[in-house]
Amino acid sequence: MGSLRILIVDDHEAVRKGIRSLLSSRNDWVVCGEATDGIEAVEKAKNLRPDVVLMDISMPRMDGVE
């Protein structure tokens, strides 16, 4: 089985960096991309095809609930 591909979505850069740091400690997990809002997340998810999306629910433009 291959690596688990993860897309991180949060409007705060420090949060994204912290989550990336935590997740990269696992050899079988790969952060395949990051997005700053829901609109960008939808586009990146279409292109990157992650297995998991970690998404903030409170963001500008389009939030994680939408």
Side-chain angles (χ1 to χ4, degrees), residues 5-66:
R5 296 170 41 79
I6 304 167
L7 174 62
I8 301 170
V9 185
D10 196 290
D11 56 322
H12 296 98
E13 183 179 3
V15 172
R16 291 193 315 272
K17 284 184 178 182
I19 292 171
R20 178 183 279 273
S21 177
L22 288 170
L23 297 178
S24 64
S25 66
R26 292 281 307 252
N27 293 333
D28 54 341
W29 292 356
V30 175
V31 175
C32 64
E34 297 181 12
T36 60
D37 61 42
I39 293 172
E40 185 180 1
V42 169
E43 288 302 313
K44 290 210 173 178
K46 286 179 186 177
N47 294 327
L48 299 173
R49 311 288 285 168
D51 300 307
V52 174
V53 178
L54 289 175
M55 184 178 295
D56 185 2
I57 61 168
S58 176
M59 294 179 291
R61 297 196 323 149
M62 179 191 285
D63 63 32
V65 176
E66 292 176 291

